[in-house]
């Protein structure tokens, strides 16, 4: 099996090697909190993609909920200046 | 396994996002003292919808045009797109979607990749390699966005 490790970014690249895909999938795997904590070696590519979709959906949902919360808070808070400066200076 | 360069990048990105998003929030607060909808621009949206849009837009602006997903977000949510919609109605959006790049299908990834394409901005026309790369970057940025919004919400309510 000849696998080319070409890192070309052409939009229609026809020869995508398995190694390349495995690399990217494992990189993605490291970002997912679910799989990272599970520490199982038997994680298939399909599983990683599935978990990725779930994770993205949950992040979108969190953004929705936080937007709701912020909209309520924005309406009620008067002294927001100090809070804003505080958050901006927080460097985690 | 994050190199020092990557941490510096992610820090500056978080700060850029936080600044833009917070100034958008302040702008909203000063401009519209009445809670609820704003009908000046011709499209009625709740404040929380506008906050959500401001969040995604601020993050895409903080990332810039370097990434395919951020370019897709900027073209969808940017002010040019809004003006376009207002003048020519919703039919103009159809012409934006006509560009179809022939993807090369790699076997086995098709089922899950299709769902992923719908979730990642601009994912419809990417090849599988770009899709996976863009997804990784998109996820890190989304996580940052959520953390900053969480911090703001926590501080606002004190």
């Amino acid at each position: 099996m000849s696998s080319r490790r070409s890192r070309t970014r052409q939009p229609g690249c026809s020869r995508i090697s398995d190694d390349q895909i495995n690399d990217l999938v494992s990189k993605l795997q490291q970002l997912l909190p679910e799989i990272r904590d599970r520490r199982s070696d038997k994680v298939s590519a399909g599983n990683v993609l599935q978990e990725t979709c779930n994770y993205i959906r949950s992040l979108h949902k969190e953004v929705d909920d936080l937007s709701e919360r912020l909209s309520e808070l924005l309406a009620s808070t008067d002294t927001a200046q100090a809070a804003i400066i505080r958050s901006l200076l927080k460097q985690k | 396994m994050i190199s020092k360069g990557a941490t510096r990048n992610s820090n500056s990105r978080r700060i850029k996002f936080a600044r833009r998003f917070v100034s958008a929030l302040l702008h909203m607060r000063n401009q519209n003292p009445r809670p609820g909808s704003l009908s000046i621009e011709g499209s009625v949206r709740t404040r929380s919808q506008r906050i959500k849009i401001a969040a995604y837009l601020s993050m895409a602006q903080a990332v810039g045009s370097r990434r395919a997903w951020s370019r897709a977000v900027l073209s969808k949510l940017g002010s040019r797109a809004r003006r376009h919609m207002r003048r020519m109605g919703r039919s103009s959006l159809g012409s934006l979607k006509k560009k179809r790049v022939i993807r090369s299908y790699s076997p086995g990834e098709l089922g899950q990749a299709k769902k992923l394409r719908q979730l990642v901005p601009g994912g419809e026309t990417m090849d599988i390699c770009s899709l996976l790369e863009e997804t990784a970057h998109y996820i890190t940025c989304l996580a940052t966005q959520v953390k900053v919004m969480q911090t703001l919400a926590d501080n606002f309510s004190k």
Side-chain angles (χ1 to χ4, degrees):
Chain A
M1 203 194 306
S2 59
S3 47
R4 259 204 229 152
R5 284 197 156 244
S6 53
R7 290 224 137 215
T8 49
R9 288 236 185 151
Q10 290 149 7
C13 72
S14 44
R15 293 265 199 102
I16 303 174
S17 70
D18 286 345
D19 281 346
Q20 224 174 337
I21 294 189
N22 284 336
D23 273 352
L24 292 170
V25 167
S26 64
K27 195 175 101 173
L28 207 49
Q29 193 178 323
Q30 293 309 307
L31 297 172
L32 303 173
E34 280 290 314
I35 298 185
R36 205 181 47 210
D37 298 336
R38 229 185 280 162
R39 270 187 224 160
S40 154
D41 289 331
K42 295 184 202 168
V43 187
S44 68
N47 207 350
V48 172
L49 290 184
Q50 183 61 49
E51 287 297 331
T52 308
C53 292
N54 295 340
Y55 187 46
I56 293 182
R57 279 194 210 108
S58 77
L59 285 174
H60 284 170
K61 181 79 173 59
E62 279 198 64
V63 171
D64 284 350
D65 294 340
L66 285 168
S67 302
E68 289 277 352
R69 235 178 107 189
L70 282 173
S71 112
E72 288 166 23
L73 290 170
L74 209 60
S76 58
T77 340
D78 286 322
T79 54
Q81 314 290 356
I84 291 168
I85 297 171
R86 228 184 299 142
S87 344
L88 275 181
L89 293 178
K90 260 195 192 164
Q91 297 242 354
K92 276 184 203 151
Chain B
M1 263 213 269
I2 305 172
S3 62
K4 268 192 181 169
T7 320
R8 264 204 300 271
N9 274 343
S10 55
N11 265 342
S12 74
R13 186 168 59 219
R14 178 184 38 234
I15 293 173
K16 270 189 218 168
F17 163 69
R19 284 220 183 100
R20 285 177 195 266
F21 183 53
V22 167
S23 72
L25 287 179
L26 286 176
H27 186 69
M28 254 184 255
R29 198 172 69 105
N30 296 334
Q31 192 185 50
N32 189 22
R34 272 169 282 132
S37 57
L38 172 75
S39 52
I40 294 175
E41 288 186 334
S43 58
V44 180
R45 284 202 186 108
T46 65
R47 194 205 293 256
S48 90
Q49 278 173 312
R50 283 158 59 215
I51 291 181
K52 183 168 64 170
I53 290 174
Y56 285 120
L57 192 57
S58 303
M59 183 46 95
Q61 285 169 338
V63 170
S65 308
R66 291 174 265 141
R67 284 281 162 178
W69 73 262
S70 61
R71 289 196 293 271
V73 171
L74 288 172
S75 74
K76 188 171 72 159
L77 297 180
S79 55
R80 230 179 288 156
R82 263 188 278 134
R83 259 184 272 138
H84 203 70
M85 261 185 70
R86 224 186 307 148
R87 276 201 216 124
M88 302 183 206
R90 294 220 162 207
S91 57
S92 66
L93 282 178
S95 62
L96 287 172
K97 284 189 181 174
K98 268 189 194 159
K99 219 180 188 181
R100 285 228 170 219
V101 176
I102 298 171
R103 296 195 294 276
S104 57
Y105 293 105
S106 49
E109 313 291 348
L110 270 184
Q112 323 284 21
K114 192 170 152 193
K115 279 186 270 177
L116 195 57
R117 287 179 193 282
Q118 292 168 343
L119 288 170
V120 176
E124 305 277 341
T125 54
M126 290 178 199
D127 62 285
I128 188 70
C129 280
S130 309
L131 180 65
L132 293 175
E133 282 196 51
E134 294 290 315
T135 304
H137 193 263
Y138 183 56
I139 285 181
T140 50
C141 292
L142 262 187
T144 305
Q145 183 178 323
V146 164
K147 268 186 222 148
V148 171
M149 290 175 83
Q150 182 75 58
T151 309
L152 277 174
D154 289 343
N155 283 337
F156 261 124
S157 54
K158 278 189 188 142

